[in-house]
PDB file of all heavy atoms in Angstrom:
ATOM      1  N   GLY T   1      -0.610  -4.967  -9.031  1.00  0.00           N
ATOM      2  CA  GLY T   1       0.355  -5.135  -7.957  1.00  0.00           C
ATOM      3  C   GLY T   1       0.388  -3.962  -6.995  1.00  0.00           C
ATOM      4  O   GLY T   1      -0.598  -3.245  -6.808  1.00  0.00           O
ATOM      5  N   LEU T   2       1.547  -3.760  -6.400  1.00  0.00           N
ATOM      6  CA  LEU T   2       1.716  -2.707  -5.394  1.00  0.00           C
ATOM      7  C   LEU T   2       1.494  -1.322  -5.984  1.00  0.00           C
ATOM      8  O   LEU T   2       0.920  -0.448  -5.326  1.00  0.00           O
ATOM      9  CB  LEU T   2       3.111  -2.794  -4.765  1.00  0.00           C
ATOM     10  CG  LEU T   2       3.445  -1.761  -3.701  1.00  0.00           C
ATOM     11  CD1 LEU T   2       2.503  -1.868  -2.527  1.00  0.00           C
ATOM     12  CD2 LEU T   2       4.882  -1.909  -3.255  1.00  0.00           C
ATOM     13  N   ALA T   3       1.901  -1.109  -7.217  1.00  0.00           N
ATOM     14  CA  ALA T   3       1.728   0.209  -7.842  1.00  0.00           C
ATOM     15  C   ALA T   3       0.246   0.566  -7.957  1.00  0.00           C
ATOM     16  O   ALA T   3      -0.151   1.693  -7.665  1.00  0.00           O
ATOM     17  CB  ALA T   3       2.391   0.233  -9.215  1.00  0.00           C
ATOM     18  N   GLY T   4      -0.577  -0.370  -8.364  1.00  0.00           N
ATOM     19  CA  GLY T   4      -2.013  -0.102  -8.496  1.00  0.00           C
ATOM     20  C   GLY T   4      -2.686   0.137  -7.165  1.00  0.00           C
ATOM     21  O   GLY T   4      -3.507   1.056  -7.023  1.00  0.00           O
ATOM     22  N   VAL T   5      -2.351  -0.682  -6.178  1.00  0.00           N
ATOM     23  CA  VAL T   5      -2.942  -0.505  -4.849  1.00  0.00           C
ATOM     24  C   VAL T   5      -2.504   0.825  -4.249  1.00  0.00           C
ATOM     25  O   VAL T   5      -3.311   1.557  -3.690  1.00  0.00           O
ATOM     26  CB  VAL T   5      -2.579  -1.683  -3.919  1.00  0.00           C
ATOM     27  CG1 VAL T   5      -2.965  -1.394  -2.488  1.00  0.00           C
ATOM     28  CG2 VAL T   5      -3.250  -2.953  -4.398  1.00  0.00           C
ATOM     29  N   SER T   6      -1.234   1.163  -4.393  1.00  0.00           N
ATOM     30  CA  SER T   6      -0.739   2.434  -3.854  1.00  0.00           C
ATOM     31  C   SER T   6      -1.392   3.620  -4.543  1.00  0.00           C
ATOM     32  O   SER T   6      -1.732   4.610  -3.901  1.00  0.00           O
ATOM     33  CB  SER T   6       0.780   2.523  -4.027  1.00  0.00           C
ATOM     34  OG  SER T   6       1.411   1.510  -3.313  1.00  0.00           O
ATOM     35  N   PHE T   7      -1.577   3.515  -5.861  1.00  0.00           N
ATOM     36  CA  PHE T   7      -2.163   4.622  -6.613  1.00  0.00           C
ATOM     37  C   PHE T   7      -3.612   4.870  -6.200  1.00  0.00           C
ATOM     38  O   PHE T   7      -4.055   6.012  -6.108  1.00  0.00           O
ATOM     39  CB  PHE T   7      -2.076   4.332  -8.112  1.00  0.00           C
ATOM     40  CG  PHE T   7      -2.581   5.446  -8.970  1.00  0.00           C
ATOM     41  CD1 PHE T   7      -1.851   6.608  -9.125  1.00  0.00           C
ATOM     42  CD2 PHE T   7      -3.805   5.344  -9.616  1.00  0.00           C
ATOM     43  CE1 PHE T   7      -2.326   7.648  -9.909  1.00  0.00           C
ATOM     44  CE2 PHE T   7      -4.288   6.371 -10.402  1.00  0.00           C
ATOM     45  CZ  PHE T   7      -3.543   7.527 -10.549  1.00  0.00           C
ATOM     46  N   LEU T   8      -4.366   3.808  -5.930  1.00  0.00           N
ATOM     47  CA  LEU T   8      -5.787   3.958  -5.610  1.00  0.00           C
ATOM     48  C   LEU T   8      -6.068   4.087  -4.112  1.00  0.00           C
ATOM     49  O   LEU T   8      -7.188   4.410  -3.724  1.00  0.00           O
ATOM     50  CB  LEU T   8      -6.570   2.783  -6.177  1.00  0.00           C
ATOM     51  CG  LEU T   8      -6.618   2.717  -7.704  1.00  0.00           C
ATOM     52  CD1 LEU T   8      -7.341   1.470  -8.158  1.00  0.00           C
ATOM     53  CD2 LEU T   8      -7.266   3.955  -8.283  1.00  0.00           C
ATOM     54  N   THR T   9      -5.070   3.829  -3.280  1.00  0.00           N
ATOM     55  CA  THR T   9      -5.287   3.887  -1.830  1.00  0.00           C
ATOM     56  C   THR T   9      -5.775   5.250  -1.340  1.00  0.00           C
ATOM     57  O   THR T   9      -6.754   5.306  -0.606  1.00  0.00           O
ATOM     58  CB  THR T   9      -4.016   3.464  -1.079  1.00  0.00           C
ATOM     59  OG1 THR T   9      -3.832   2.070  -1.268  1.00  0.00           O
ATOM     60  CG2 THR T   9      -4.107   3.754   0.403  1.00  0.00           C
ATOM     61  N   PRO T  10      -5.172   6.374  -1.727  1.00  0.00           N
ATOM     62  CA  PRO T  10      -5.641   7.653  -1.167  1.00  0.00           C
ATOM     63  C   PRO T  10      -7.070   8.020  -1.553  1.00  0.00           C
ATOM     64  O   PRO T  10      -7.754   8.687  -0.790  1.00  0.00           O
ATOM     65  CB  PRO T  10      -4.656   8.676  -1.747  1.00  0.00           C
ATOM     66  CG  PRO T  10      -3.451   7.902  -2.075  1.00  0.00           C
ATOM     67  CD  PRO T  10      -3.938   6.550  -2.492  1.00  0.00           C
ATOM     68  N   ILE T  11      -7.541   7.600  -2.731  1.00  0.00           N
ATOM     69  CA  ILE T  11      -8.862   8.058  -3.153  1.00  0.00           C
ATOM     70  C   ILE T  11      -9.941   6.991  -3.064  1.00  0.00           C
ATOM     71  O   ILE T  11     -11.080   7.292  -2.751  1.00  0.00           O
ATOM     72  CB  ILE T  11      -8.827   8.621  -4.583  1.00  0.00           C
ATOM     73  CG1 ILE T  11      -8.305   7.577  -5.561  1.00  0.00           C
ATOM     74  CG2 ILE T  11      -8.019   9.878  -4.650  1.00  0.00           C
ATOM     75  CD1 ILE T  11      -8.683   7.844  -6.976  1.00  0.00           C
ATOM     76  N   LEU T  12      -9.611   5.746  -3.347  1.00  0.00           N
ATOM     77  CA  LEU T  12     -10.638   4.714  -3.397  1.00  0.00           C
ATOM     78  C   LEU T  12     -10.701   3.908  -2.102  1.00  0.00           C
ATOM     79  O   LEU T  12     -11.758   3.736  -1.515  1.00  0.00           O
ATOM     80  CB  LEU T  12     -10.383   3.787  -4.588  1.00  0.00           C
ATOM     81  CG  LEU T  12     -11.456   2.770  -4.911  1.00  0.00           C
ATOM     82  CD1 LEU T  12     -12.766   3.463  -5.212  1.00  0.00           C
ATOM     83  CD2 LEU T  12     -11.045   1.920  -6.097  1.00  0.00           C
ATOM     84  N   PHE T  13      -9.575   3.400  -1.687  1.00  0.00           N
ATOM     85  CA  PHE T  13      -9.498   2.697  -0.409  1.00  0.00           C
ATOM     86  C   PHE T  13      -9.120   3.765   0.609  1.00  0.00           C
ATOM     87  O   PHE T  13      -9.071   4.926   0.296  1.00  0.00           O
ATOM     88  CB  PHE T  13      -8.437   1.596  -0.478  1.00  0.00           C
ATOM     89  CG  PHE T  13      -8.505   0.777  -1.739  1.00  0.00           C
ATOM     90  CD1 PHE T  13      -7.432   0.719  -2.609  1.00  0.00           C
ATOM     91  CD2 PHE T  13      -9.658   0.096  -2.077  1.00  0.00           C
ATOM     92  CE1 PHE T  13      -7.507  -0.018  -3.775  1.00  0.00           C
ATOM     93  CE2 PHE T  13      -9.740  -0.640  -3.237  1.00  0.00           C
ATOM     94  CZ  PHE T  13      -8.657  -0.695  -4.097  1.00  0.00           C
ATOM     95  N   SER T  14      -8.861   3.410   1.809  1.00  0.00           N
ATOM     96  CA  SER T  14      -8.368   4.404   2.754  1.00  0.00           C
ATOM     97  C   SER T  14      -6.916   4.077   3.070  1.00  0.00           C
ATOM     98  O   SER T  14      -6.437   2.981   2.787  1.00  0.00           O
ATOM     99  CB  SER T  14      -9.217   4.399   4.029  1.00  0.00           C
ATOM    100  OG  SER T  14      -9.121   3.150   4.653  1.00  0.00           O
ATOM    101  N   ILE T  15      -6.222   5.035   3.659  1.00  0.00           N
ATOM    102  CA  ILE T  15      -4.800   4.838   3.978  1.00  0.00           C
ATOM    103  C   ILE T  15      -4.604   3.600   4.852  1.00  0.00           C
ATOM    104  O   ILE T  15      -3.724   2.781   4.569  1.00  0.00           O
ATOM    105  CB  ILE T  15      -4.216   6.098   4.656  1.00  0.00           C
ATOM    106  CG1 ILE T  15      -4.276   7.298   3.716  1.00  0.00           C
ATOM    107  CG2 ILE T  15      -2.804   5.860   5.159  1.00  0.00           C
ATOM    108  CD1 ILE T  15      -3.267   7.356   2.627  1.00  0.00           C
ATOM    109  N   PRO T  16      -5.401   3.378   5.906  1.00  0.00           N
ATOM    110  CA  PRO T  16      -5.172   2.182   6.723  1.00  0.00           C
ATOM    111  C   PRO T  16      -5.344   0.877   5.941  1.00  0.00           C
ATOM    112  O   PRO T  16      -4.508  -0.014   6.021  1.00  0.00           O
ATOM    113  CB  PRO T  16      -6.228   2.288   7.828  1.00  0.00           C
ATOM    114  CG  PRO T  16      -6.587   3.710   7.899  1.00  0.00           C
ATOM    115  CD  PRO T  16      -6.421   4.247   6.521  1.00  0.00           C
ATOM    116  N   ILE T  17      -6.415   0.767   5.169  1.00  0.00           N
ATOM    117  CA  ILE T  17      -6.682  -0.492   4.459  1.00  0.00           C
ATOM    118  C   ILE T  17      -5.616  -0.750   3.404  1.00  0.00           C
ATOM    119  O   ILE T  17      -5.054  -1.840   3.319  1.00  0.00           O
ATOM    120  CB  ILE T  17      -8.096  -0.472   3.843  1.00  0.00           C
ATOM    121  CG1 ILE T  17      -9.134  -0.501   4.954  1.00  0.00           C
ATOM    122  CG2 ILE T  17      -8.295  -1.638   2.899  1.00  0.00           C
ATOM    123  CD1 ILE T  17     -10.545  -0.281   4.493  1.00  0.00           C
ATOM    124  N   GLY T  18      -5.315   0.256   2.581  1.00  0.00           N
ATOM    125  CA  GLY T  18      -4.303   0.076   1.540  1.00  0.00           C
ATOM    126  C   GLY T  18      -2.934  -0.237   2.104  1.00  0.00           C
ATOM    127  O   GLY T  18      -2.212  -1.096   1.588  1.00  0.00           O
ATOM    128  N   THR T  19      -2.570   0.425   3.187  1.00  0.00           N
ATOM    129  CA  THR T  19      -1.244   0.196   3.783  1.00  0.00           C
ATOM    130  C   THR T  19      -1.165  -1.171   4.441  1.00  0.00           C
ATOM    131  O   THR T  19      -0.158  -1.871   4.299  1.00  0.00           O
ATOM    132  CB  THR T  19      -0.942   1.299   4.815  1.00  0.00           C
ATOM    133  OG1 THR T  19      -1.066   2.564   4.182  1.00  0.00           O
ATOM    134  CG2 THR T  19       0.451   1.149   5.370  1.00  0.00           C
ATOM    135  N   ILE T  20      -2.201  -1.571   5.138  1.00  0.00           N
ATOM    136  CA  ILE T  20      -2.187  -2.888   5.794  1.00  0.00           C
ATOM    137  C   ILE T  20      -2.127  -3.995   4.754  1.00  0.00           C
ATOM    138  O   ILE T  20      -1.367  -4.960   4.901  1.00  0.00           O
ATOM    139  CB  ILE T  20      -3.401  -3.038   6.736  1.00  0.00           C
ATOM    140  CG1 ILE T  20      -3.198  -2.162   7.970  1.00  0.00           C
ATOM    141  CG2 ILE T  20      -3.599  -4.486   7.146  1.00  0.00           C
ATOM    142  CD1 ILE T  20      -4.403  -2.057   8.875  1.00  0.00           C
ATOM    143  N   VAL T  21      -2.889  -3.866   3.683  1.00  0.00           N
ATOM    144  CA  VAL T  21      -2.833  -4.876   2.620  1.00  0.00           C
ATOM    145  C   VAL T  21      -1.441  -4.908   1.999  1.00  0.00           C
ATOM    146  O   VAL T  21      -0.876  -5.985   1.770  1.00  0.00           O
ATOM    147  CB  VAL T  21      -3.916  -4.594   1.548  1.00  0.00           C
ATOM    148  CG1 VAL T  21      -3.686  -5.430   0.308  1.00  0.00           C
ATOM    149  CG2 VAL T  21      -5.290  -4.869   2.121  1.00  0.00           C
ATOM    150  N   ALA T  22      -0.878  -3.745   1.737  1.00  0.00           N
ATOM    151  CA  ALA T  22       0.461  -3.696   1.140  1.00  0.00           C
ATOM    152  C   ALA T  22       1.510  -4.320   2.065  1.00  0.00           C
ATOM    153  O   ALA T  22       2.381  -5.061   1.603  1.00  0.00           O
ATOM    154  CB  ALA T  22       0.833  -2.257   0.810  1.00  0.00           C
ATOM    155  N   THR T  23       1.424  -4.053   3.368  1.00  0.00           N
ATOM    156  CA  THR T  23       2.410  -4.623   4.283  1.00  0.00           C
ATOM    157  C   THR T  23       2.243  -6.126   4.452  1.00  0.00           C
ATOM    158  O   THR T  23       3.213  -6.822   4.733  1.00  0.00           O
ATOM    159  CB  THR T  23       2.351  -3.957   5.673  1.00  0.00           C
ATOM    160  OG1 THR T  23       1.033  -4.055   6.183  1.00  0.00           O
ATOM    161  CG2 THR T  23       2.786  -2.525   5.602  1.00  0.00           C
ATOM    162  N   ARG T  24       1.020  -6.621   4.282  1.00  0.00           N
ATOM    163  CA  ARG T  24       0.801  -8.068   4.388  1.00  0.00           C
ATOM    164  C   ARG T  24       1.286  -8.810   3.146  1.00  0.00           C
ATOM    165  O   ARG T  24       1.628  -9.983   3.226  1.00  0.00           O
ATOM    166  CB  ARG T  24      -0.681  -8.363   4.609  1.00  0.00           C
ATOM    167  CG  ARG T  24      -1.236  -7.815   5.898  1.00  0.00           C
ATOM    168  CD  ARG T  24      -0.859  -8.633   7.063  1.00  0.00           C
ATOM    169  NE  ARG T  24      -1.705  -9.802   7.119  1.00  0.00           N
ATOM    170  CZ  ARG T  24      -1.889 -10.528   8.178  1.00  0.00           C
ATOM    171  NH1 ARG T  24      -1.299 -10.182   9.298  1.00  0.00           N
ATOM    172  NH2 ARG T  24      -2.651 -11.583   8.153  1.00  0.00           N
ATOM    173  N   LEU T  25       1.300  -8.129   2.000  1.00  0.00           N
ATOM    174  CA  LEU T  25       1.641  -8.805   0.756  1.00  0.00           C
ATOM    175  C   LEU T  25       3.037  -8.487   0.232  1.00  0.00           C
ATOM    176  O   LEU T  25       3.542  -9.193  -0.630  1.00  0.00           O
ATOM    177  CB  LEU T  25       0.596  -8.467  -0.320  1.00  0.00           C
ATOM    178  CG  LEU T  25      -0.840  -8.876   0.033  1.00  0.00           C
ATOM    179  CD1 LEU T  25      -1.803  -8.393  -1.029  1.00  0.00           C
ATOM    180  CD2 LEU T  25      -0.956 -10.375   0.214  1.00  0.00           C
ATOM    181  N   VAL T  26       3.648  -7.423   0.734  1.00  0.00           N
ATOM    182  CA  VAL T  26       4.995  -7.049   0.305  1.00  0.00           C
ATOM    183  C   VAL T  26       5.859  -6.882   1.547  1.00  0.00           C
ATOM    184  O   VAL T  26       5.465  -6.199   2.485  1.00  0.00           O
ATOM    185  CB  VAL T  26       4.970  -5.721  -0.497  1.00  0.00           C
ATOM    186  CG1 VAL T  26       6.370  -5.280  -0.847  1.00  0.00           C
ATOM    187  CG2 VAL T  26       4.132  -5.856  -1.738  1.00  0.00           C
ATOM    188  N   SER T  27       7.021  -7.493   1.541  1.00  0.00           N
ATOM    189  CA  SER T  27       7.873  -7.411   2.727  1.00  0.00           C
ATOM    190  C   SER T  27       8.804  -6.197   2.723  1.00  0.00           C
ATOM    191  O   SER T  27       9.284  -5.782   3.765  1.00  0.00           O
ATOM    192  CB  SER T  27       8.706  -8.688   2.861  1.00  0.00           C
ATOM    193  OG  SER T  27       9.525  -8.836   1.713  1.00  0.00           O
ATOM    194  N   ASP T  28       9.047  -5.612   1.563  1.00  0.00           N
ATOM    195  CA  ASP T  28       9.961  -4.478   1.444  1.00  0.00           C
ATOM    196  C   ASP T  28       9.239  -3.177   1.810  1.00  0.00           C
ATOM    197  O   ASP T  28       8.458  -2.636   1.041  1.00  0.00           O
ATOM    198  CB  ASP T  28      10.502  -4.402   0.011  1.00  0.00           C
ATOM    199  CG  ASP T  28      11.599  -3.373  -0.129  1.00  0.00           C
ATOM    200  OD1 ASP T  28      12.055  -2.828   0.897  1.00  0.00           O
ATOM    201  OD2 ASP T  28      12.012  -3.111  -1.281  1.00  0.00           O
ATOM    202  N   ARG T  29       9.507  -2.670   3.006  1.00  0.00           N
ATOM    203  CA  ARG T  29       8.810  -1.467   3.486  1.00  0.00           C
ATOM    204  C   ARG T  29       9.248  -0.215   2.757  1.00  0.00           C
ATOM    205  O   ARG T  29       8.469   0.716   2.581  1.00  0.00           O
ATOM    206  CB  ARG T  29       9.024  -1.314   4.988  1.00  0.00           C
ATOM    207  CG  ARG T  29       8.293  -2.366   5.770  1.00  0.00           C
ATOM    208  CD  ARG T  29       8.445  -2.179   7.237  1.00  0.00           C
ATOM    209  NE  ARG T  29       7.660  -3.186   7.941  1.00  0.00           N
ATOM    210  CZ  ARG T  29       7.775  -3.436   9.208  1.00  0.00           C
ATOM    211  NH1 ARG T  29       8.623  -2.760   9.942  1.00  0.00           N
ATOM    212  NH2 ARG T  29       7.032  -4.360   9.778  1.00  0.00           N
ATOM    213  N   LYS T  30      10.514  -0.161   2.324  1.00  0.00           N
ATOM    214  CA  LYS T  30      10.981   1.008   1.578  1.00  0.00           C
ATOM    215  C   LYS T  30      10.212   1.154   0.268  1.00  0.00           C
ATOM    216  O   LYS T  30       9.865   2.257  -0.140  1.00  0.00           O
ATOM    217  CB  LYS T  30      12.476   0.885   1.290  1.00  0.00           C
ATOM    218  CG  LYS T  30      13.350   1.053   2.505  1.00  0.00           C
ATOM    219  CD  LYS T  30      14.806   0.921   2.147  1.00  0.00           C
ATOM    220  CE  LYS T  30      15.670   1.006   3.395  1.00  0.00           C
ATOM    221  NZ  LYS T  30      17.093   0.786   3.087  1.00  0.00           N
ATOM    222  N   LYS T  31       9.931   0.029  -0.353  1.00  0.00           N
ATOM    223  CA  LYS T  31       9.168   0.045  -1.604  1.00  0.00           C
ATOM    224  C   LYS T  31       7.738   0.520  -1.355  1.00  0.00           C
ATOM    225  O   LYS T  31       7.192   1.319  -2.129  1.00  0.00           O
ATOM    226  CB  LYS T  31       9.161  -1.362  -2.211  1.00  0.00           C
ATOM    227  CG  LYS T  31       8.670  -1.435  -3.605  1.00  0.00           C
ATOM    228  CD  LYS T  31       8.854  -2.851  -4.143  1.00  0.00           C
ATOM    229  CE  LYS T  31       8.408  -2.953  -5.575  1.00  0.00           C
ATOM    230  NZ  LYS T  31       8.566  -4.316  -6.096  1.00  0.00           N
ATOM    231  N   ILE T  32       7.150   0.079  -0.259  1.00  0.00           N
ATOM    232  CA  ILE T  32       5.794   0.522   0.095  1.00  0.00           C
ATOM    233  C   ILE T  32       5.793   2.030   0.332  1.00  0.00           C
ATOM    234  O   ILE T  32       4.925   2.744  -0.170  1.00  0.00           O
ATOM    235  CB  ILE T  32       5.282  -0.225   1.347  1.00  0.00           C
ATOM    236  CG1 ILE T  32       5.092  -1.704   1.034  1.00  0.00           C
ATOM    237  CG2 ILE T  32       3.986   0.383   1.850  1.00  0.00           C
ATOM    238  CD1 ILE T  32       4.818  -2.556   2.255  1.00  0.00           C
ATOM    239  N   PHE T  33       6.769   2.540   1.089  1.00  0.00           N
ATOM    240  CA  PHE T  33       6.842   3.972   1.363  1.00  0.00           C
ATOM    241  C   PHE T  33       7.013   4.773   0.073  1.00  0.00           C
ATOM    242  O   PHE T  33       6.383   5.813  -0.100  1.00  0.00           O
ATOM    243  CB  PHE T  33       7.989   4.289   2.326  1.00  0.00           C
ATOM    244  CG  PHE T  33       7.629   4.102   3.761  1.00  0.00           C
ATOM    245  CD1 PHE T  33       8.186   3.079   4.498  1.00  0.00           C
ATOM    246  CD2 PHE T  33       6.731   4.947   4.379  1.00  0.00           C
ATOM    247  CE1 PHE T  33       7.856   2.899   5.821  1.00  0.00           C
ATOM    248  CE2 PHE T  33       6.393   4.782   5.710  1.00  0.00           C
ATOM    249  CZ  PHE T  33       6.962   3.751   6.431  1.00  0.00           C
ATOM    250  N   LEU T  34       7.871   4.296  -0.825  1.00  0.00           N
ATOM    251  CA  LEU T  34       8.109   5.019  -2.071  1.00  0.00           C
ATOM    252  C   LEU T  34       6.843   5.083  -2.918  1.00  0.00           C
ATOM    253  O   LEU T  34       6.448   6.163  -3.375  1.00  0.00           O
ATOM    254  CB  LEU T  34       9.241   4.355  -2.863  1.00  0.00           C
ATOM    255  CG  LEU T  34       9.523   4.965  -4.227  1.00  0.00           C
ATOM    256  CD1 LEU T  34      10.073   6.378  -4.057  1.00  0.00           C
ATOM    257  CD2 LEU T  34      10.477   4.098  -5.018  1.00  0.00           C
TER     258      LEU T  34
END
């Protein structure tokens, strides 16, 4: 879920790709930021 994508975004994916995927799949922005 979001925890796995967020954890791997800085090193495996890039910030733009991980963040865009997270925003498309999760509507709660505070949760994405946290």
Side-chain angles (χ1 to χ4, degrees):
L2 180 61
V5 170
S6 298
F7 183 73
L8 293 176
T9 290
I11 58 159
L12 188 59
F13 315 120
S14 62
I15 297 284
I17 292 171
T19 305
I20 288 171
V21 168
T23 55
R24 297 282 281 199
L25 300 175
V26 176
S27 60
D28 188 8
R29 290 183 177 167
K30 289 180 184 176
K31 192 174 182 181
I32 293 170
F33 277 111
L34 176 67

